[in-house]
Amino acid sequence: MKSFKNFIGGDWVPPIGGEYFENRNPADLSDTVGRFPLSGAADVDRAVESARRGFEVWRNTPAPARGDVLRKLGDIMVKRKDEIADLMTREMGKPLAETRGDVQEGIDTAYYAASEGRRLFGHTVPSELRNKWAMSFRRPIGVAGIITPFNFPMAIPTWKMFPALLCGNACIFKPAEDVPHTGHVLVEMMLEAGLPPEVIQLVHGLGESAGAAIVNHPLIPVISFTGSTETGRMVGEICGRMHKRLSLEMGGKNAMLVFDDANLDLALDGVLWGAFGTTGQRCTATSRLILQDGIHDELLSRLIDRVRDLKLGDGRKDGTDVGPLISQNSLEKVERYIDIGQQENADLLCGGKRPTGKGLENGYFFEPTIFARVRAGMRLEQEEIFGPVLSVLRFRAADEAFAINNDVKYGLSSSVYTQDVNVAMRAMNELDTGITYINAPTIGAEAHLPFGGVKQTGNGHREGGWEVYEFYSETKVGYLDFSGSLQRAQIDNYLGTPD
Ligand code: NAD
C-alpha cells in the first residue's frame, strides 16, 4: 500500500509519532488509496517554525510575482484536470463530471488570484490638512491555518489558500481526513509552480489532533475553517479566547421555493441537481422543497418518477448519477434521519434505505429519498442531514414560503422558481441567506463572487471574489505630512493657512 508523507520544513517527511491512517474508496471499501500520516501537535510545531521562515521570504516577494506563481499553478491544474478528477472521485465518490468541476473551480480561483496580484488596492484619500497625504494599503498577516472539509477536496482549499498566498501569508494546510490524496496533489502542484517550499506546509491527520493543534497554536494568527456548525463552534470559541482572526463557513439547510407560475420542467431539473448532486453532500444542497398549492401534486409525482431513474454507482463509471456517501458515520447519520422523519409522521415516498444492487454492496450507498407532508419545525425540516434526503413542504402565499425559508438556524443558499419579477425581487430582498438564485437551483457558486452564509452558517466573512482578500490582509494607514509644521487633526482648522 502506498504511504504518503506530510510536507513540513521544505521536505516530504513522515509523522513524528510514526502513525498512519488508511484512506479507502467510499464506492468500494476493498480499494485502498493509501496510508496517510496521523499527525499531532509536534508535527504542527515544526510546521509553524518553518512557515514563519517562509512567511519572511514570501511577504517580501512583490504581489505581482506572487500572482505569477499562482498563474503557473493554474496552468498546471489545467493540464492535470482529468487525472486529478479521477483520483478525487476515487477517494470522495462524486461522479467525474462533478470532480472535474471541482478542479475547474480551483483553476478559476488561481487565475482570479493571479490577477489580484496587480491590484490589491488600498485607497488614497484627501487629508483634512494641507500638504498632507493619507492612504491605506494592505499587509499580510502571517501564518494562516487552513482546515477544510471533505466535499470539495480541491475547490475549498484553493478558495482559502490562493488568496491567503496572494496576500503574502504562509499556509499550514490540513485537508479533511477523508480526502487527503487530493490535498497531497495540490501541494505537489504548488511546489512545481515555484512556491518557495517553506511557504506551504501540509499536515495530514484527524480534526481532534492535527486540526485542534493548528487552531490552538499561538503563532498561527489567522484560521480559515470550513466544516460543520458543531466543529466551527468549537473552533470559534478557541479563536475568540486567543484573539485570532477567523473565517467560518459552516452548515446549511437550503430551500427551493417553487411558485404556481414556475416553469416546472426547469424546476424539476433544478431540484434533482440541487438535492441529489454530490449525494446531497453540499453545504448548498437543496434539502427542502417548498411547493405552492397549485403545482404541489404534479411536481411531486413527476419528481418521484425522475428520482427513481437516478443511477447509483461508482462515480468513475459512465452513466452514474449519484455516488456513495463519504463514510460509515455519514451513512448512519442519514439512517437516523430516516427514523426521525418516520417518527415525525412525514410520508416516505421513495428511497429511505441502502440499495441492494450489484456493485453497490461494498460502498456507502444510500437511495435518493423523498419525504412529503413535512411541516415547518420538524427536525427533518430544521437540521442538516448532509445526504440524499429531500423534505417537501407546501405553501399558499409568498409570505408563508419566505417565513418557512427563514425559520431555520442556517442561512447559506436559497432558490426561487417563478416568472413573476415582483416575487423574484422580493425573494432577493427578504430571504435570509448569503446567496439567492432565481430560476436556478441552490448550488452553483462562481469563483469570482463572494460566497458564504448568514446566521449559524458563517461569521460574517466571505470566501471567493474580492471580499476574501480583506480577510487575508491587514489594512494599514499611512499619513505623510510635508507641511513642515505641526498640524493637529480635528484641532487646527482645515480651512486655515499653515504658517
Ligand atoms: P467536519 O466539521 O467534520 O470537518 C471539517 C474539517 O474540520 C476537517 O478537516 C476535520 O478534520 C476538521 N476538524 C474536526 N474536528 C476539529 C477540531 N476539533 N478542531 C479543528 N479541526 C477539526 O465537516 P465535514 O464532515 O468534513 O464537512 C461537512 C460539513 O461542512 C457540513 O456541515 C457542510 O455544510 C459544511 N460545509 C460548509 C461549506 C460552506 O462554505 N459553508 C462548504 C462545504 C462544507
Side-chain angles (χ1 to χ4, degrees):
M1 185 193 311
K2 184 159 185 206
S3 226
F4 290 80
K5 292 179 175 168
N6 288 325
F7 188 79
I8 296 177
D11 207 356
W12 294 99
V13 293
I16 290 170
E19 288 187 85
Y20 291 82
F21 65 95
E22 278 182 14
N23 176 24
R24 287 172 190 270
N25 178 345
D28 175 6
L29 299 175
S30 65
D31 175 26
T32 308
V33 175
R35 50 178 219 149
F36 289 82
L38 259 184
S39 316
D43 300 286
V44 171
D45 284 346
R46 287 190 49 207
V48 175
E49 270 174 41
S50 169
R52 280 163 64 82
R53 288 192 294 273
F55 175 57
E56 289 308 320
V57 174
W58 192 235
R59 71 184 303 180
N60 292 312
T61 304
R66 299 196 295 250
D68 284 347
V69 172
L70 292 167
R71 184 174 302 103
K72 277 186 207 131
L73 179 50
D75 294 344
I76 295 168
M77 292 171 81
V78 168
K79 286 204 190 89
R80 294 184 65 180
K81 181 172 169 179
D82 285 348
E83 170 215 335
I84 300 168
D86 187 73
L87 68 88
M88 195 193 303
T89 295
R90 185 178 171 205
E91 69 175 352
M92 191 276 163
K94 60 188 176 185
L96 286 175
E98 294 190 35
T99 47
R100 283 191 201 108
D102 197 319
V103 182
Q104 186 59 46
E105 203 159 337
I107 294 166
D108 297 343
T109 302
Y111 291 146
Y112 186 95
S115 70
E116 193 60 31
R118 291 191 181 269
R119 287 189 295 264
L120 272 191
F121 291 129
H123 292 94
T124 305
V125 298
S127 165
E128 66 186 46
L129 294 161
R130 289 169 192 262
N131 293 326
K132 189 173 176 185
W133 276 18
M135 65 188 70
S136 73
F137 59 100
R138 294 173 187 283
R139 302 176 79 215
I141 305 170
V143 178
I146 306 291
I147 300 176
T148 54
F150 74 84
N151 60 343
F152 281 86
M154 180 62 76
I156 291 181
T158 66
W159 282 3
K160 295 179 184 302
M161 286 198 280
F162 293 179
L165 292 169
L166 191 279
C167 288
N169 304 288
C171 289
I172 299 184
F173 170 34
K174 193 209 83 64
E177 50 270 43
D178 307 294
V179 291
H181 194 195
T182 309
H184 173 93
V185 170
L186 173 57
V187 172
E188 268 182 359
M189 292 189 294
M190 288 168 136
L191 297 169
E192 189 188 336
L195 193 69
E198 293 200 288
V199 177
I200 177 72
Q201 316 281 329
L202 173 67
V203 181
H204 288 291
L206 306 183
E208 58 266 31
S209 42
I214 291 172
V215 175
N216 280 288
H217 202 293
L219 298 178
I220 303 181
V222 51
I223 300 284
S224 181
F225 168 87
T226 298
S228 65
T229 296
E230 293 67 34
T231 313
R233 183 175 301 122
M234 291 192 284
V235 170
E237 283 170 8
I238 296 165
C239 291
R241 275 202 304 279
M242 297 181 78
H243 304 292
K244 294 192 181 204
R245 180 180 289 221
L246 170 66
S247 171
L248 292 172
E249 291 296 342
M250 302 173 286
K253 189 73 187 176
N254 315 291
M256 176 189 288
L257 283 49
V258 185
F259 285 77
D260 285 345
D261 67 346
N263 175 338
L264 293 194
D265 295 333
L266 196 63
L268 206 51
D269 286 343
V271 68
L272 276 171
W273 176 227
F276 302 113
T278 325
T279 322
Q281 300 171 111
R282 285 188 180 220
C283 49
T284 51
T286 308
S287 60
R288 298 180 294 157
L289 176 64
I290 311 181
L291 302 177
Q292 198 162 19
D293 264 341
I295 49 93
H296 177 278
D297 295 354
E298 183 191 344
L299 190 69
L300 190 54
S301 94
R302 287 177 63 189
L303 178 61
I304 289 164
D305 289 344
R306 293 278 300 272
V307 168
R308 290 205 170 110
D309 284 345
L310 290 174
K311 190 167 176 325
L312 260 73
D314 180 343
R316 292 201 284 171
K317 295 211 170 115
D318 281 349
T320 296
D321 297 308
V322 181
L325 287 160
I326 190 67
S327 65
Q328 181 68 24
N329 276 348
S330 296
L331 195 58
E332 288 170 9
K333 181 176 179 192
V334 170
E335 286 180 328
R336 274 200 304 282
Y337 276 97
I338 302 301
D339 290 344
I340 289 169
Q342 288 177 316
Q343 281 156 19
E344 292 182 318
N345 288 324
D347 278 356
L348 179 60
L349 297 186
C350 64
K353 57 183 190 332
R354 301 181 195 197
T356 49
K358 191 164 172 309
L360 303 177
E361 57 279 43
N362 266 339
Y364 299 124
F365 292 97
F366 198 84
E367 288 186 2
T369 300
I370 297 180
F371 276 107
R373 283 178 15 103
V374 175
R375 285 171 301 281
M378 285 180 175
R379 286 186 64 189
L380 201 58
E381 193 264 341
Q382 292 280 313
E383 298 174 14
E384 186 183 48
I385 302 171
F386 225 56
V389 181
L390 179 69
S391 293
V392 182
L393 292 88
R394 198 186 258 277
F395 74 94
R396 276 187 290 273
D399 284 345
E400 186 190 352
F402 292 176
I404 295 171
N405 179 83
N406 289 346
D407 191 21
V408 289
K409 68 179 182 183
Y410 302 106
L412 185 51
S413 178
S414 52
S415 134
V416 175
Y417 281 75
T418 180
Q419 307 290 341
D420 182 338
V421 69
N422 296 333
V423 171
M425 290 309 296
R426 271 194 63 198
M428 296 274 249
N429 270 342
E430 295 178 32
L431 298 181
D432 293 335
T433 52
I435 310 166
T436 293
Y437 294 90
I438 306 296
N439 293 325
T442 53
I443 65 183
E446 299 181 29
H448 59 298
L449 280 104
F451 177 90
V454 303
K455 301 195 278 190
Q456 291 188 28
T457 293
N459 66 340
H461 294 293
R462 291 291 181 270
E463 311 250 50
W466 51 95
E467 290 202 8
V468 68
Y469 293 88
E470 305 278 346
F471 176 74
Y472 287 110
S473 56
E474 289 284 8
T475 298
K476 182 161 183 178
V477 166
Y479 293 104
L480 278 88
D481 190 323
F482 49 99
S483 69
S485 59
L486 172 66
Q487 301 194 84
R488 297 170 303 172
Q490 295 92 40
I491 295 174
D492 293 327
N493 183 345
Y494 69 95
L495 291 174
T497 38
D499 291 327

mmCIF file of all heavy atoms in Angstrom, residues 31-62:
data_model
loop_
_atom_site.group_PDB
_atom_site.id
_atom_site.type_symbol
_atom_site.label_atom_id
_atom_site.label_comp_id
_atom_site.label_asym_id
_atom_site.label_seq_id
_atom_site.Cartn_x
_atom_site.Cartn_y
_atom_site.Cartn_z
ATOM 1 N N ASP A 31 -10.884 -1.164 -2.001
ATOM 2 C CA ASP A 31 -9.887 -0.388 -2.742
ATOM 3 C C ASP A 31 -9.268 0.653 -1.796
ATOM 4 O O ASP A 31 -9.945 1.601 -1.392
ATOM 5 C CB ASP A 31 -10.585 0.294 -3.935
ATOM 6 C CG ASP A 31 -9.663 1.223 -4.700
ATOM 7 O OD1 ASP A 31 -8.431 1.013 -4.665
ATOM 8 O OD2 ASP A 31 -10.186 2.172 -5.335
ATOM 9 N N THR A 32 -7.996 0.452 -1.439
ATOM 10 C CA THR A 32 -7.337 1.393 -0.523
ATOM 11 C C THR A 32 -6.477 2.366 -1.327
ATOM 12 O O THR A 32 -5.611 1.950 -2.098
ATOM 13 C CB THR A 32 -6.452 0.640 0.493
ATOM 14 O OG1 THR A 32 -7.264 -0.368 1.096
ATOM 15 C CG2 THR A 32 -5.939 1.572 1.570
ATOM 16 N N VAL A 33 -6.707 3.662 -1.126
ATOM 17 C CA VAL A 33 -5.956 4.689 -1.859
ATOM 18 C C VAL A 33 -4.525 4.765 -1.330
ATOM 19 O O VAL A 33 -3.574 4.946 -2.085
ATOM 20 C CB VAL A 33 -6.661 6.057 -1.704
ATOM 21 C CG1 VAL A 33 -5.857 7.184 -2.343
ATOM 22 C CG2 VAL A 33 -8.076 5.992 -2.290
ATOM 23 N N GLY A 34 -4.374 4.657 -0.017
ATOM 24 C CA GLY A 34 -3.037 4.737 0.569
ATOM 25 C C GLY A 34 -3.144 4.975 2.057
ATOM 26 O O GLY A 34 -4.236 5.069 2.614
ATOM 27 N N ARG A 35 -1.954 5.058 2.703
ATOM 28 C CA ARG A 35 -1.997 5.430 4.127
ATOM 29 C C ARG A 35 -1.356 6.793 4.291
ATOM 30 O O ARG A 35 -0.377 7.134 3.614
ATOM 31 C CB ARG A 35 -1.382 4.353 5.019
ATOM 32 C CG ARG A 35 -0.030 3.877 4.601
ATOM 33 C CD ARG A 35 0.505 2.852 5.575
ATOM 34 N NE ARG A 35 1.949 3.113 5.736
ATOM 35 C CZ ARG A 35 2.644 2.889 6.826
ATOM 36 N NH1 ARG A 35 2.057 2.391 7.888
ATOM 37 N NH2 ARG A 35 3.937 3.157 6.877
ATOM 38 N N PHE A 36 -1.926 7.567 5.201
ATOM 39 C CA PHE A 36 -1.543 8.973 5.359
ATOM 40 C C PHE A 36 -1.190 9.254 6.821
ATOM 41 O O PHE A 36 -1.718 8.601 7.737
ATOM 42 C CB PHE A 36 -2.717 9.871 4.919
ATOM 43 C CG PHE A 36 -2.944 9.854 3.434
ATOM 44 C CD1 PHE A 36 -3.667 8.820 2.847
ATOM 45 C CD2 PHE A 36 -2.408 10.836 2.608
ATOM 46 C CE1 PHE A 36 -3.861 8.783 1.470
ATOM 47 C CE2 PHE A 36 -2.592 10.805 1.230
ATOM 48 C CZ PHE A 36 -3.322 9.773 0.658
ATOM 49 N N PRO A 37 -0.310 10.237 7.061
ATOM 50 C CA PRO A 37 0.171 10.500 8.421
ATOM 51 C C PRO A 37 -0.935 10.895 9.400
ATOM 52 O O PRO A 37 -1.801 11.703 9.067
ATOM 53 C CB PRO A 37 1.130 11.684 8.227
ATOM 54 C CG PRO A 37 1.551 11.613 6.811
ATOM 55 C CD PRO A 37 0.383 11.064 6.049
ATOM 56 N N LEU A 38 -0.849 10.314 10.582
ATOM 57 C CA LEU A 38 -1.701 10.737 11.698
ATOM 58 C C LEU A 38 -0.864 11.722 12.507
ATOM 59 O O LEU A 38 -0.172 11.339 13.441
ATOM 60 C CB LEU A 38 -2.020 9.533 12.585
ATOM 61 C CG LEU A 38 -3.352 8.835 12.462
ATOM 62 C CD1 LEU A 38 -3.457 7.741 13.507
ATOM 63 C CD2 LEU A 38 -4.528 9.795 12.565
ATOM 64 N N SER A 39 -0.918 12.981 12.128
ATOM 65 C CA SER A 39 -0.014 13.958 12.745
ATOM 66 C C SER A 39 -0.599 14.475 14.047
ATOM 67 O O SER A 39 -1.796 14.360 14.301
ATOM 68 C CB SER A 39 0.206 15.136 11.798
ATOM 69 O OG SER A 39 0.421 14.673 10.496
ATOM 70 N N GLY A 40 0.263 15.085 14.849
ATOM 71 C CA GLY A 40 -0.168 15.657 16.123
ATOM 72 C C GLY A 40 0.487 17.004 16.360
ATOM 73 O O GLY A 40 1.070 17.608 15.439
ATOM 74 N N ALA A 41 0.440 17.434 17.613
ATOM 75 C CA ALA A 41 0.917 18.783 17.946
ATOM 76 C C ALA A 41 2.394 18.975 17.616
ATOM 77 O O ALA A 41 2.809 20.069 17.200
ATOM 78 C CB ALA A 41 0.664 19.057 19.428
ATOM 79 N N ALA A 42 3.209 17.914 17.760
ATOM 80 C CA ALA A 42 4.646 18.074 17.498
ATOM 81 C C ALA A 42 4.892 18.353 16.011
ATOM 82 O O ALA A 42 5.763 19.160 15.650
ATOM 83 C CB ALA A 42 5.395 16.813 17.928
ATOM 84 N N ASP A 43 4.108 17.716 15.144
ATOM 85 C CA ASP A 43 4.247 17.980 13.701
ATOM 86 C C ASP A 43 3.832 19.429 13.396
ATOM 87 O O ASP A 43 4.464 20.109 12.594
ATOM 88 C CB ASP A 43 3.368 17.010 12.899
ATOM 89 C CG ASP A 43 3.746 15.560 13.143
ATOM 90 O OD1 ASP A 43 4.791 15.126 12.619
ATOM 91 O OD2 ASP A 43 3.000 14.870 13.863
ATOM 92 N N VAL A 44 2.754 19.843 14.047
ATOM 93 C CA VAL A 44 2.275 21.216 13.809
ATOM 94 C C VAL A 44 3.317 22.224 14.302
ATOM 95 O O VAL A 44 3.594 23.227 13.631
ATOM 96 C CB VAL A 44 0.897 21.444 14.490
ATOM 97 C CG1 VAL A 44 0.490 22.906 14.445
ATOM 98 C CG2 VAL A 44 -0.161 20.570 13.819
ATOM 99 N N ASP A 45 3.966 21.949 15.441
ATOM 100 C CA ASP A 45 5.016 22.857 15.939
ATOM 101 C C ASP A 45 6.115 23.035 14.889
ATOM 102 O O ASP A 45 6.549 24.160 14.620
ATOM 103 C CB ASP A 45 5.670 22.284 17.211
ATOM 104 C CG ASP A 45 4.772 22.466 18.422
ATOM 105 O OD1 ASP A 45 3.807 23.251 18.337
ATOM 106 O OD2 ASP A 45 5.036 21.806 19.450
ATOM 107 N N ARG A 46 6.543 21.919 14.311
ATOM 108 C CA ARG A 46 7.610 22.006 13.292
ATOM 109 C C ARG A 46 7.130 22.771 12.063
ATOM 110 O O ARG A 46 7.865 23.549 11.461
ATOM 111 C CB ARG A 46 8.043 20.599 12.863
ATOM 112 C CG ARG A 46 8.879 19.888 13.933
ATOM 113 C CD ARG A 46 9.476 18.620 13.363
ATOM 114 N NE ARG A 46 10.132 18.861 12.084
ATOM 115 C CZ ARG A 46 10.282 17.947 11.127
ATOM 116 N NH1 ARG A 46 9.831 16.723 11.312
ATOM 117 N NH2 ARG A 46 10.889 18.243 9.996
ATOM 118 N N ALA A 47 5.866 22.537 11.710
ATOM 119 C CA ALA A 47 5.314 23.232 10.539
ATOM 120 C C ALA A 47 5.265 24.749 10.792
ATOM 121 O O ALA A 47 5.569 25.549 9.892
ATOM 122 C CB ALA A 47 3.912 22.697 10.231
ATOM 123 N N VAL A 48 4.930 25.135 12.010
ATOM 124 C CA VAL A 48 4.835 26.569 12.309
ATOM 125 C C VAL A 48 6.214 27.222 12.260
ATOM 126 O O VAL A 48 6.382 28.302 11.668
ATOM 127 C CB VAL A 48 4.170 26.806 13.694
ATOM 128 C CG1 VAL A 48 4.193 28.290 14.063
ATOM 129 C CG2 VAL A 48 2.735 26.288 13.684
ATOM 130 N N GLU A 49 7.195 26.555 12.845
ATOM 131 C CA GLU A 49 8.572 27.113 12.811
ATOM 132 C C GLU A 49 8.997 27.387 11.373
ATOM 133 O O GLU A 49 9.545 28.435 11.053
ATOM 134 C CB GLU A 49 9.566 26.091 13.378
ATOM 135 C CG GLU A 49 9.801 26.172 14.853
ATOM 136 C CD GLU A 49 10.686 25.003 15.271
ATOM 137 O OE1 GLU A 49 11.654 24.648 14.561
ATOM 138 O OE2 GLU A 49 10.353 24.402 16.320
ATOM 139 N N SER A 50 8.750 26.398 10.519
ATOM 140 C CA SER A 50 9.160 26.535 9.125
ATOM 141 C C SER A 50 8.324 27.593 8.404
ATOM 142 O O SER A 50 8.860 28.421 7.662
ATOM 143 C CB SER A 50 9.016 25.177 8.431
ATOM 144 O OG SER A 50 9.164 25.321 7.053
ATOM 145 N N ALA A 51 7.022 27.584 8.648
ATOM 146 C CA ALA A 51 6.146 28.538 7.946
ATOM 147 C C ALA A 51 6.497 29.982 8.306
ATOM 148 O O ALA A 51 6.367 30.888 7.484
ATOM 149 C CB ALA A 51 4.682 28.254 8.291
ATOM 150 N N ARG A 52 6.972 30.182 9.517
ATOM 151 C CA ARG A 52 7.358 31.549 9.903
ATOM 152 C C ARG A 52 8.572 32.014 9.094
ATOM 153 O O ARG A 52 8.679 33.177 8.718
ATOM 154 C CB ARG A 52 7.626 31.622 11.408
ATOM 155 C CG ARG A 52 6.302 31.722 12.195
ATOM 156 C CD ARG A 52 6.489 31.381 13.638
ATOM 157 N NE ARG A 52 7.351 32.305 14.356
ATOM 158 C CZ ARG A 52 6.976 33.474 14.865
ATOM 159 N NH1 ARG A 52 5.740 33.893 14.692
ATOM 160 N NH2 ARG A 52 7.822 34.225 15.532
ATOM 161 N N ARG A 53 9.480 31.082 8.794
ATOM 162 C CA ARG A 53 10.613 31.438 7.923
ATOM 163 C C ARG A 53 10.094 31.703 6.506
ATOM 164 O O ARG A 53 10.489 32.663 5.850
ATOM 165 C CB ARG A 53 11.650 30.310 7.889
ATOM 166 C CG ARG A 53 12.452 30.156 9.185
ATOM 167 C CD ARG A 53 13.653 29.222 8.968
ATOM 168 N NE ARG A 53 13.261 27.844 8.683
ATOM 169 C CZ ARG A 53 13.027 26.911 9.616
ATOM 170 N NH1 ARG A 53 13.172 27.215 10.897
ATOM 171 N NH2 ARG A 53 12.677 25.683 9.278
ATOM 172 N N GLY A 54 9.191 30.826 6.051
ATOM 173 C CA GLY A 54 8.624 31.004 4.707
ATOM 174 C C GLY A 54 7.915 32.340 4.575
ATOM 175 O O GLY A 54 8.016 33.018 3.544
ATOM 176 N N PHE A 55 7.222 32.720 5.616
ATOM 177 C CA PHE A 55 6.481 33.990 5.603
ATOM 178 C C PHE A 55 7.424 35.173 5.366
ATOM 179 O O PHE A 55 7.109 36.089 4.598
ATOM 180 C CB PHE A 55 5.732 34.153 6.933
ATOM 181 C CG PHE A 55 5.039 35.477 7.086
ATOM 182 C CD1 PHE A 55 4.099 35.903 6.155
ATOM 183 C CD2 PHE A 55 5.341 36.314 8.160
ATOM 184 C CE1 PHE A 55 3.450 37.130 6.298
ATOM 185 C CE2 PHE A 55 4.705 37.543 8.302
ATOM 186 C CZ PHE A 55 3.758 37.949 7.367
ATOM 187 N N GLU A 56 8.602 35.143 5.999
ATOM 188 C CA GLU A 56 9.542 36.269 5.844
ATOM 189 C C GLU A 56 9.998 36.395 4.389
ATOM 190 O O GLU A 56 10.203 37.501 3.888
ATOM 191 C CB GLU A 56 10.757 36.099 6.773
ATOM 192 C CG GLU A 56 10.423 36.301 8.238
ATOM 193 C CD GLU A 56 9.689 37.629 8.509
ATOM 194 O OE1 GLU A 56 10.041 38.660 7.899
ATOM 195 O OE2 GLU A 56 8.731 37.602 9.312
ATOM 196 N N VAL A 57 10.183 35.262 3.718
ATOM 197 C CA VAL A 57 10.577 35.298 2.300
ATOM 198 C C VAL A 57 9.417 35.807 1.445
ATOM 199 O O VAL A 57 9.555 36.695 0.600
ATOM 200 C CB VAL A 57 10.960 33.875 1.815
ATOM 201 C CG1 VAL A 57 11.225 33.843 0.312
ATOM 202 C CG2 VAL A 57 12.147 33.351 2.603
ATOM 203 N N TRP A 58 8.262 35.265 1.708
ATOM 204 C CA TRP A 58 7.113 35.468 0.816
ATOM 205 C C TRP A 58 6.525 36.868 0.956
ATOM 206 O O TRP A 58 6.110 37.491 -0.005
ATOM 207 C CB TRP A 58 6.080 34.391 1.153
ATOM 208 C CG TRP A 58 4.955 34.215 0.193
ATOM 209 C CD1 TRP A 58 3.636 34.276 0.495
ATOM 210 C CD2 TRP A 58 5.024 33.904 -1.208
ATOM 211 N NE1 TRP A 58 2.874 34.025 -0.613
ATOM 212 C CE2 TRP A 58 3.703 33.792 -1.681
ATOM 213 C CE3 TRP A 58 6.076 33.710 -2.104
ATOM 214 C CZ2 TRP A 58 3.403 33.506 -3.008
ATOM 215 C CZ3 TRP A 58 5.775 33.419 -3.431
ATOM 216 C CH2 TRP A 58 4.454 33.327 -3.863
ATOM 217 N N ARG A 59 6.500 37.388 2.186
ATOM 218 C CA ARG A 59 5.916 38.724 2.377
ATOM 219 C C ARG A 59 6.725 39.777 1.638
ATOM 220 O O ARG A 59 6.211 40.843 1.292
ATOM 221 C CB ARG A 59 5.834 39.075 3.867
ATOM 222 C CG ARG A 59 7.206 39.339 4.488
ATOM 223 C CD ARG A 59 7.148 39.600 5.973
ATOM 224 N NE ARG A 59 6.281 40.710 6.305
ATOM 225 C CZ ARG A 59 6.049 41.139 7.528
ATOM 226 N NH1 ARG A 59 6.621 40.532 8.568
ATOM 227 N NH2 ARG A 59 5.272 42.149 7.754
ATOM 228 N N ASN A 60 8.036 39.497 1.409
ATOM 229 C CA ASN A 60 8.886 40.447 0.705
ATOM 230 C C ASN A 60 8.956 40.183 -0.792
ATOM 231 O O ASN A 60 9.697 40.848 -1.511
ATOM 232 C CB ASN A 60 10.296 40.429 1.313
ATOM 233 C CG ASN A 60 10.261 40.996 2.723
ATOM 234 O OD1 ASN A 60 9.668 42.059 2.939
ATOM 235 N ND2 ASN A 60 10.847 40.292 3.679
ATOM 236 N N THR A 61 8.206 39.201 -1.262
ATOM 237 C CA THR A 61 8.107 38.948 -2.707
ATOM 238 C C THR A 61 6.998 39.859 -3.240
ATOM 239 O O THR A 61 5.904 39.886 -2.669
ATOM 240 C CB THR A 61 7.715 37.464 -2.943
ATOM 241 O OG1 THR A 61 8.676 36.636 -2.282
ATOM 242 C CG2 THR A 61 7.652 37.122 -4.409
ATOM 243 N N PRO A 62 7.258 40.624 -4.312
ATOM 244 C CA PRO A 62 6.209 41.535 -4.798
ATOM 245 C C PRO A 62 4.907 40.784 -5.128
ATOM 246 O O PRO A 62 4.939 39.664 -5.648
ATOM 247 C CB PRO A 62 6.827 42.140 -6.062
ATOM 248 C CG PRO A 62 8.297 41.978 -5.887
ATOM 249 C CD PRO A 62 8.500 40.723 -5.091
#
